[in-house]
Amino acid sequence: MTYPDATYTAHTAPPLPTAEARATPARPGRDRYLDLLRAVALVRVVVFHLFGWAWLTVLFPSMGVMFALAGSLMARSLARPAGSVIRGRLRRLLPPMWAFSLVVVPMMFALSWKPVREEGLWWFIKLGSYLFPIGSPPFPGESGSEGGWLELSWADQAAGPLWYIRAYLWFVLASPLLLKAFRKLPWVTLLAPIALTAVIGTGLVTVPGTLGEGLLDFAVFGSCWILGFAHNDGLLKEIPRYLAVSCAAIVMGFGLWWASGHLTAEGWNLDEIPLAQATWSLGFCAILLVYAPSWQKLPGRLAGWDSLITLANNRAVTIYLWHNLLLMAAVHLVDQLWSVPWFGDTFSTYIDRSYEVLTFLAIWPLIGLAILAFGWVEDVAAKRRPRLWPNGADRRRRA
């Protein structure tokens, strides 16, 4: 595999203002447009993991959007001392993961996982990634037994979302230096992760093991995170909109072109094509943020979704961590319909035809139960009063 032609990064840009001129004070309160994007990204992740439609990664690159939004909020927070910001982010991130690990890891052991015998004492160090996810946490390739309540690959699927927690942690730790670099050399810093992806994400250079996995995720989504810096600092408003959109379209076009020559068994699944994911996500997020309005309230018909969008944002980590495990539970619940006397025999054909739709309907009540059972940990981690269902109803009543 050869190094791709990187001419798509060489756009002519207008002169940039100084860092002091760009770094404008953050707007007070929540930006409901960003909250809407985050909620849509979460729903898209759940839908993709259920239906497996590869084209969804092109239609809405959820992970790139989530990292761009997180980067914007991180830059806003870094107006305060970096040490306190990092501690605050870790405090909010890690306890929800610990609650997840307290359920999942004992389940792995209960279903006959014997890693010490299989992998040696080094496993104990790797197990620490369930406490501080600087690397990839270990899990059994197969767990349980055929015909049991859980698929043999349940542990792999349950631990799947933890890569996002690891990548988020890397970005949080690197953000003080990244933000300084961005404000000195914005274009170089913004495009450097794309160049890194072109090297390690195309097979040109291979970095093995956990380090390689983390470095690749950092490279693929690094430009989206740094784009969030540009949004927070007001840099995107300094660029003529037609030029920003044109450059974004060129970058996205390159991503689709690269993907077309590197399709996987799943087709246009950008999650499996690093360079296409990096470039498409960067261009897509740039357009979303260039046209970003500043909404203190959701306008028009979107206002009817205010409660669910508020809930999704207040429980984003809980939803993301638990959704894969709950999808397996939803599948099992739908399977039980065939065992219901009379109903299973009478409607078996309809159950079979609408299997995925029924699973889609079943997953949301289960996510609601997870929010009730574990979501309060996010409040405790943020030093807030624990709430069972934080959909903004209290705030609206006070208003």
Side-chain angles (χ1 to χ4, degrees), residues 10-348:
H11 305 310
T12 303
L16 296 175
T18 63
E20 291 75 17
R22 287 198 315 270
T24 56
R27 295 185 297 273
R30 294 194 67 92
D31 188 325
R32 299 301 281 166
Y33 174 72
L34 302 187
D35 287 348
L36 173 64
L37 291 181
R38 188 177 294 105
V40 172
L42 285 169
V43 171
R44 204 284 282 161
V45 167
V46 174
V47 171
F48 173 71
H49 286 162
L50 170 59
F51 295 100
W53 295 330
W55 51 267
L56 284 174
T57 63
V58 178
L59 179 66
F60 194 88
S62 285
M63 304 317 301
V65 170
M66 291 171 69
F67 281 118
L69 300 181
S72 180
L73 292 176
M74 188 68 185
R76 173 178 171 175
S77 297
L78 283 172
R80 307 192 306 271
S84 65
V85 172
I86 291 175
R87 287 193 299 271
R89 284 289 187 273
L90 295 183
R91 191 184 66 242
R92 289 169 180 250
L93 179 70
L94 296 180
M97 179 185 172
W98 295 340
F100 177 80
S101 300
L102 282 174
V103 174
V104 171
V105 175
M107 286 175 60
M108 294 177 186
F109 283 111
L111 293 173
S112 304
W113 187 28
K114 297 181 175 61
V116 176
R117 180 184 304 170
E118 297 168 0
E119 301 181 38
L121 295 179
W122 173 245
W123 170 84
F124 283 104
I125 297 176
K126 294 195 294 182
L127 191 64
S129 292
Y130 282 104
L131 297 176
F132 194 79
I134 197 69
S136 300
F139 53 84
E142 292 187 351
S143 181
S145 58
E146 288 283 357
W149 279 63
L150 294 170
E151 299 179 24
L152 290 178
S153 63
W154 77 267
D156 186 2
Q157 296 182 55
L162 296 181
W163 78 266
Y164 172 77
I165 306 298
R166 177 192 63 203
Y168 187 96
L169 176 64
W170 280 40
F171 283 125
V172 166
L173 295 176
S175 280
L177 291 178
L178 286 176
L179 187 58
K180 287 182 180 179
F182 170 75
R183 287 175 174 166
K184 289 184 178 180
L185 298 169
W187 291 105
V188 173
T189 308
L190 178 65
L191 297 174
I194 298 292
L196 181 60
T197 305
V199 174
I200 66 174
T202 61
L204 188 66
V205 173
T206 300
V207 181
T210 296
L211 176 61
E213 295 172 1
L215 189 60
L216 181 59
D217 292 334
F218 187 87
V220 169
F221 297 107
S223 289
C224 291
W225 185 275
I226 295 167
L227 184 70
F229 295 171
H231 172 258
N232 177 78
D233 283 7
L235 172 62
L236 298 180
K237 296 184 182 299
E238 300 290 336
I239 304 172
R241 184 173 290 179
Y242 76 90
L243 180 60
V245 173
S246 298
C247 293
I250 293 172
V251 173
M252 294 170 70
F254 173 86
L256 290 183
W257 171 79
W258 183 264
S260 69
H262 300 82
L263 297 180
T264 67
E266 299 173 340
W268 291 82
N269 183 359
L270 300 189
D271 290 348
E272 304 298 328
I273 313 172
L275 186 57
Q277 173 77 286
T279 50
W280 178 263
S281 295
L282 175 60
F284 192 96
C285 293
I287 292 175
L288 288 179
L289 295 179
V290 162
Y291 282 95
S294 180
W295 291 342
Q296 298 303 307
K297 294 182 179 180
L298 293 169
R301 294 183 178 180
L302 288 174
W305 296 90
D306 184 83
S307 294
L308 290 177
I309 291 171
T310 300
L311 179 66
N313 277 269
N314 283 326
R315 294 294 179 258
V317 178
T318 298
I319 293 170
Y320 187 80
L321 280 173
W322 289 92
H323 79 275
N324 256 11
L325 198 58
L326 297 176
L327 277 173
M328 289 183 280
V331 167
H332 185 73
L333 285 177
V334 174
D335 286 343
Q336 300 311 303
L337 293 176
W338 276 291
S339 303
V340 177
W342 177 79
F343 184 88
D345 293 334
T346 305
F347 296 101
S348 61

